[in-house]
């Protein structure tokens, strides 16, 4: 979670699966995707549902947050 938040602060958007893997030392994108899917199931992160968009991840929006 800290990695995603700091990436957004630095780059203005969520990191891709490959970028996350590179930062945490995982070369397998499927391992990263599995971990992200677990976080998404728990409601801790979300991914934009845009076809063709890079798989950028971010913390979910909080109701009332601007």
């Amino acid at each position: 979670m800290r990695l995603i938040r700091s990436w957004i602060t630095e780059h203005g958007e969520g990191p891709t699966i490959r970028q996350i893997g590179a930062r945490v030392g995982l070369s397998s994108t499927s391992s990263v995707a599995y971990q992200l899917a677990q976080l998404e199931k728990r409601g801790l992160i979300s991914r934009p549902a845009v076809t063709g968009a890079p798989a950028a991840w971010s913390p979910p929006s909080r109701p009332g947050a601007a």
Side-chain angles (χ1 to χ4, degrees), residues 6-50:
S6 67
W7 188 277
I8 292 169
T9 300
E10 291 174 29
H11 302 281
E13 62 185 13
T16 65
I17 290 175
R18 290 186 192 276
Q19 290 165 332
I20 292 170
R23 284 272 181 113
V24 299
L26 291 173
S27 59
S28 169
T29 55
S30 63
S31 294
V32 175
Y34 173 80
Q35 297 301 326
L36 292 172
Q38 297 306 306
L39 292 172
E40 189 173 26
K41 282 181 186 177
R42 293 174 58 195
L44 299 173
I45 61 172
S46 63
R47 177 172 53 168
V50 178

Side-chain angles (χ1 to χ4, degrees), residues 61-66:
S61 301
R62 292 184 186 143

